[in-house]
Amino acid sequence: MTLRHLGLGPSILGYLSLTAAAASAQGTAAATCSSYSHAEVNKVDLLFVVDNSRSMSDEQRALTDQIPKLIDAITTGQRFAGDPRPFRPVTDLHVGVVSTDMGIPGVEFPPSCSPDGGSDGRLLHAAPQETQLSCQREYPQYQSYRAHYDDRDALANAVACTASLGTEGCGIEQPLESAFKALWPKAPPAGSQQNPFRFISTTEAGTWGRGDRTEAQGGNYGFLRNDPDDPSLIAIVLLTDEEDCSVGETSHLQPRSQLAEDSPYWQQDINLRCYYNKQFLFDLERRYLDGLRALRPGREDLVFFSVIAGVPADLVSRDVLARTDFSDAAARDTFYDDILNDPRMQEAIDPSSNPGSGTGNLRPSCVRSVAGESGVSTAFPPRRLVSLARAFGKHGMVQSICQDDFGPAVDAIVDGLADHL
């Protein structure tokens, strides 16, 4: 199967540098692509990026348990009844869900990793076959809520149903690429002859973002509101127990059964391929920081990026957050330095995983064990995800997937959204 390399060299496969275009306020943007006014914002387009690999059943349930709390808080402007610090509520809300499954384009890796791109940044809206929730069989492509018209409880239940993705997704998680492809448009920015971002794919149609294509065309059109006079806040909530492996090349991800014995990847366990071959990972700032901000040219503050991943819970506790002034760059740097410099956040091969046998893996960064759940869950150092949240400055937030429940994580995300509203 042939990948669409689009004439790009392997070191920049799938994207073009945004450096020159970012210098112009209208340079790289969504289909509307003109600078946004500084009007008051009352709309939010909330995208959940949910890891649907086989280790995520308990964590998905922990997230969906908190969705009613999140929806209630942002649509009432109160974190809890009688909140002494109410904020401006969201009166117009879109909520979409994508998975971390981008397949492994061009690589046959059954049963969970498709060579054709997996979910590939499509908004997912079919309810799972087995869930404790009361779900319809299928929902609209994304959920909508308008104050005084729609039922927030019904909205919360629908979002929880669609975010319960199951655990049959590809174990090579690419959450950043999935979110970016879901939102980025196919159409070139206004005044430009060429779209600065493309995507690795086996088909011509798959090389483009889905943000401005209709559902019939395989796109997510309508989820983002791109009216220059009335822009929405884009809020991304990402849940995964792994590091991001968003890549522009996939030859190193072939299973050992497909490799020649003289291949440089032959001795590398599949779970360590992204660790060993970081040269194939997409650049965090040029692609994801600049690219996501370019969806709101002139109003880059209207992009909020949050992560619930394998950060040790004590490093992002309520006490730590309470004593950190996230509006102050020095305080933020100390917060992120403490996370990234912590010994548990360092990537190292776990000798107990029997490296070289095919089952080798990194040392976990944190462990989650909750009574009544299916077992002990391990998470791994999400250094790329933490680094990207840091790059977003006060518009980023990090929380831990290893907390007993995700209430504190949702509280932190609500506080971040409240600052924007």
Side-chain angles (χ1 to χ4, degrees):
M1 189 173 290
T2 302
L3 294 179
R4 294 281 176 170
H5 285 200
L6 305 172
L8 300 176
S11 65
I12 58 169
L13 176 62
Y15 73 94
L16 299 175
S17 172
L18 189 63
T19 304
S24 171
Q26 76 273 13
T28 53
T32 51
C33 286
S34 58
S35 294
Y36 290 93
S37 69
H38 287 255
E40 195 171 57
V41 175
N42 63 4
K43 298 189 296 190
V44 172
D45 298 330
L46 172 60
L47 181 69
F48 285 100
V49 186
V50 179
D51 188 339
N52 63 334
S53 63
R54 63 183 180 178
S55 60
M56 286 293 297
S57 60
D58 291 330
E59 290 79 0
Q60 285 183 23
R61 190 173 303 112
L63 174 67
T64 57
D65 285 347
Q66 296 296 325
I67 283 177
K69 175 183 179 180
L70 172 62
I71 297 296
D72 189 69
I74 64 175
T75 56
T76 64
Q78 298 188 71
R79 300 163 185 82
F80 50 86
D83 185 353
R85 298 182 298 118
F87 56 93
R88 190 168 185 269
V90 177
T91 59
D92 191 344
L93 177 65
H94 284 180
V95 187
V97 178
V98 296
S99 77
T100 59
D101 181 1
M102 298 291 285
I104 309 178
V107 175
E108 296 282 351
F109 200 156
S112 59
C113 297
S114 166
D116 295 322
S119 298
D120 203 34
R122 296 178 183 86
L123 292 176
L124 303 175
H125 48 101
Q129 294 181 349
E130 296 182 10
T131 179
Q132 297 176 340
L133 301 168
S134 177
C135 298
Q136 301 174 20
R137 183 179 298 273
E138 191 160 336
Y139 290 89
Q141 191 180 24
Y142 55 87
Q143 306 305 311
S144 299
Y145 168 83
R146 293 175 302 159
H148 311 303
Y149 291 95
D150 297 317
D151 184 336
R152 67 169 59 93
D153 292 334
L155 168 73
N157 188 75
V159 174
C161 286
T162 54
S164 301
L165 297 183
T167 57
E168 297 182 358
C170 183
I172 305 295
E173 290 92 338
Q174 301 188 58
L176 296 180
E177 191 71 349
S178 180
F180 190 44
K181 189 165 188 177
L183 302 177
W184 190 256
K186 177 181 179 180
S192 176
Q193 298 298 314
Q194 179 170 292
N195 192 324
F197 292 111
R198 305 184 192 183
F199 298 83
I200 184 170
S201 175
T202 58
T203 67
E204 175 63 27
T207 61
W208 303 106
R210 300 188 181 279
D212 60 349
R213 288 185 282 171
T214 66
E215 185 175 8
Q217 296 169 324
N220 303 322
Y221 176 76
F223 173 67
L224 283 188
R225 271 77 63 84
N226 292 316
D227 182 351
D229 297 320
D230 191 15
S232 61
L233 168 67
I234 300 171
I236 298 169
V237 177
L238 193 159
L239 176 73
T240 182
D241 61 0
E242 294 277 355
E243 173 64 295
D244 173 67
C245 187
S246 295
V247 292
E249 168 62 63
T250 61
S251 60
H252 64 298
L253 298 176
Q254 291 179 290
R256 185 175 290 178
S257 61
Q258 298 176 24
L259 295 171
E261 291 189 21
D262 61 352
S263 167
Y265 314 122
W266 172 264
Q267 294 294 335
Q268 297 178 1
D269 299 291
I270 190 63
N271 285 330
L272 294 170
R273 298 282 180 85
C274 288
Y275 165 71
Y276 282 125
N277 300 284
K278 290 183 170 63
Q279 69 273 22
F280 297 128
L281 294 168
F282 280 122
D283 183 273
L284 285 177
E285 295 201 8
R286 283 187 295 173
R287 188 168 181 85
Y288 302 117
L289 177 66
D290 292 344
L292 289 170
R293 283 177 168 175
L295 291 167
R296 291 290 177 264
R299 287 301 309 270
E300 289 80 7
D301 60 304
L302 293 181
V303 182
F304 177 71
F305 177 79
S306 59
V307 174
I308 305 173
V311 177
D314 59 289
L315 299 180
V316 292
S317 68
R318 283 193 170 104
D319 288 342
V320 170
L321 297 184
R323 63 174 181 260
T324 303
D325 180 2
F326 285 93
S327 66
D328 179 74
R332 288 197 308 272
D333 283 342
T334 298
F335 171 76
Y336 284 109
D337 284 344
D338 288 346
I339 294 173
L340 292 171
N341 294 334
D342 190 275
R344 294 165 290 179
M345 283 288 293
Q346 309 313 305
E347 293 181 314
I349 295 174
D350 184 354
S352 69
S353 67
N354 199 14
S357 68
T359 62
N361 213 332
L362 297 176
R363 284 194 175 114
S365 51
C366 62
V367 175
R368 183 173 185 269
S369 179
V370 179
E373 293 191 348
S374 60
V376 175
S377 302
T378 56
F380 299 91
R383 295 185 63 85
R384 277 171 59 82
L385 299 175
V386 172
S387 296
L388 182 59
R390 178 181 194 158
F392 270 93
K394 64 181 180 180
H395 309 298
M397 175 54 64
V398 170
Q399 275 292 298
S400 175
I401 200 172
C402 292
Q403 297 175 88
D404 289 350
D405 72 80
F406 291 171
V410 167
D411 289 342
I413 291 167
V414 168
D415 281 339
L417 290 171
D419 288 342
H420 288 71
L421 294 168

